[in-house]
């Protein structure tokens, strides 16, 4: 873990999980999205966001706009920006009609906002996004490598190209999104990706990095045995066990 250059962010909207990740010492930022908020049962966006900013005032935090029209998106972006200096505004690369948010991104950059442009899948989207970003501000370009892989396409060539594009402009940080497993963190690191955001399950597994394969094998067997005890039944009947022990 100490040798990794990629920065690890935690992805989620459960405050207790976010604080647990904060306490690990290796998490250097946080991302959220509407789907995660829905899953976490968040009922008041602004109250939730303010609480997160209050509890985590010293690390980058990304909060996403909810609107689907660009005028309302911009008003929401103004409100999100006002939450704190460490807040990045998440803007999806398109709305639900497939209309590009690039004009909005340009307007928000002129206001001096730090953005996290999200839901990016293609090289063309990366190119358009980076072109629209200002080198005067820190911004994040979130490429959904995990979802690209879910479609049966190797995300590595896309991420390699995205690294090249983002690193050609000052302030444009590439983020590996939709992380599926711990090994993705190492893939991102090898490629030169700036940030990878991880769900709580992956954050928890990262704490165990460095364990030998032998220890992993033993821990797996111990886990199986623990569950066997909880099940409370066995394959052999009591009579069969008695006969076996008589022998």
């Amino acid at each position: 873990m100490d040798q990794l250059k990629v920065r690890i962010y935690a992805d989620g909207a459960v405050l207790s999980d976010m604080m647990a990740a904060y306490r690990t010492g290796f998490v250097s930022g946080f991302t959220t999205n509407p789907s995660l908020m829905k899953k976490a049962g968040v009922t008041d966006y602004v109250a939730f966001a303010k609480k997160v900013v209050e509890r985590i005032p010293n690390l980058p935090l990304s909060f996403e706009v909810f609107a689907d029209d660009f005028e309302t998106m911009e008003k929401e972006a103004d409100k999100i920006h006002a939450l704190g200096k460490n807040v990045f505004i998440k803007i999806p690369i398109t709305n639900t009609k497939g209309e590009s948010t690039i004009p909005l991104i340009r307007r928000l950059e002129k206001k001096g906002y730090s953005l996290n442009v999200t839901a990016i899948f293609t090289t063309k989207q990366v190119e358009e996004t980076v072109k629209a970003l200002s080198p005067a501000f820190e911004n994040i370009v979130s490429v959904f490598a995990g979802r690209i892989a879910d479609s049966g396409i190797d995300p590595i060539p896309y991420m390699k190209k995205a690294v090249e594009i983002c690193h050609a402009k000052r302030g444009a940080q590439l983020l590996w999104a939709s992380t599926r497993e711990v090994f993705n963190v190492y893939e991102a690191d090898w490629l030169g990706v700036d940030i990878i955001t991880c769900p709580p399950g992956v954050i928890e597994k990262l704490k165990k990095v460095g364990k030998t394969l032998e220890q992993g094998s033993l821990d797996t067997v111990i886990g199986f045995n623990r569950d066997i005890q909880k099940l409370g039944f066995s394959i052999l009947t009591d009579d069969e066990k008695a006969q076996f022990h008589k022998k």
Side-chain angles (χ1 to χ4, degrees):
M1 289 290 291
D2 294 339
Q3 297 174 357
L4 292 174
K5 294 180 181 179
V6 66
R7 300 195 300 281
I8 297 170
Y9 282 18
D11 197 28
V14 177
L15 188 57
S16 59
D17 288 342
M18 296 174 78
M19 295 311 301
Y22 184 54
R23 289 189 291 269
T24 64
F26 61 76
V27 168
S28 56
F30 293 83
T31 54
T32 64
N33 65 48
S35 297
L36 292 171
M37 287 187 179
K38 177 178 178 292
K39 185 178 180 180
V42 174
T43 56
D44 187 323
Y45 185 111
V46 175
F48 167 74
K50 285 182 176 179
K51 187 175 292 185
V52 173
V53 173
E54 180 183 339
R55 300 287 295 275
I56 308 173
N58 60 333
L59 294 178
L61 306 169
S62 289
F63 296 108
E64 188 165 342
V65 295
F66 271 23
D68 198 46
D69 68 279
F70 301 136
E71 183 179 355
T72 309
M73 275 190 196
E74 186 166 357
K75 291 178 180 177
E76 290 179 345
D78 293 338
K79 193 167 185 177
I80 293 170
H81 173 73
L83 289 170
K85 294 180 179 180
N86 58 327
V87 172
F88 284 69
I89 306 156
K90 289 186 77 173
I91 304 291
I93 189 60
T94 72
N95 63 9
T96 61
K97 298 176 183 177
E99 297 167 335
S100 174
T101 57
I102 292 298
L104 172 62
I105 290 167
R106 291 197 184 101
R107 290 198 300 274
L108 296 176
E109 285 292 273
K110 287 180 181 178
K111 292 183 176 184
Y113 295 173
S114 286
L115 306 180
N116 179 340
V117 184
T118 190
I120 293 175
F121 280 62
T122 72
T123 299
K124 181 181 178 183
Q125 289 174 331
V126 175
E127 290 172 337
E128 291 174 344
T129 298
V130 172
K131 185 177 179 181
L133 297 176
S134 169
F137 311 111
E138 293 294 312
N139 292 289
I140 297 171
V141 180
S142 291
V143 179
F144 279 52
R147 294 199 186 196
I148 293 173
D150 288 344
S151 69
I153 297 173
D154 182 1
I156 299 302
Y158 289 87
M159 298 307 289
K160 280 183 179 178
K161 187 63 177 176
V163 167
E164 178 184 325
I165 297 166
C166 289
H167 289 181
K169 175 170 275 188
R170 185 166 60 88
Q173 305 168 76
L174 177 61
L175 182 146
W176 177 306
S178 61
T179 301
R180 301 296 189 239
E181 59 184 1
V182 167
F183 194 66
N184 292 157
V185 175
Y186 290 88
E187 290 177 305
D189 189 61
W190 295 331
L191 291 173
V193 174
D194 301 294
I195 305 164
I196 183 166
T197 191
C198 304
V202 173
I203 294 292
E204 191 62 31
K205 289 177 182 178
L206 282 167
K207 297 177 185 177
K208 302 174 184 177
V209 165
K211 182 187 296 186
T212 66
L213 296 181
E214 290 79 9
Q215 185 60 49
S217 175
L218 178 59
D219 288 347
T220 300
V221 174
I222 291 172
F224 288 160
N225 185 260
R226 188 183 302 117
D227 290 336
I228 288 168
Q229 303 306 317
K230 290 179 180 178
L231 285 170
F233 54 79
S234 63
I235 297 172
L236 299 179
T237 65
D238 290 341
D239 288 342
E240 288 172 330
K241 288 179 184 178
Q243 290 176 5
F244 174 77
H245 288 300
K246 285 179 180 179
K247 296 177 182 180

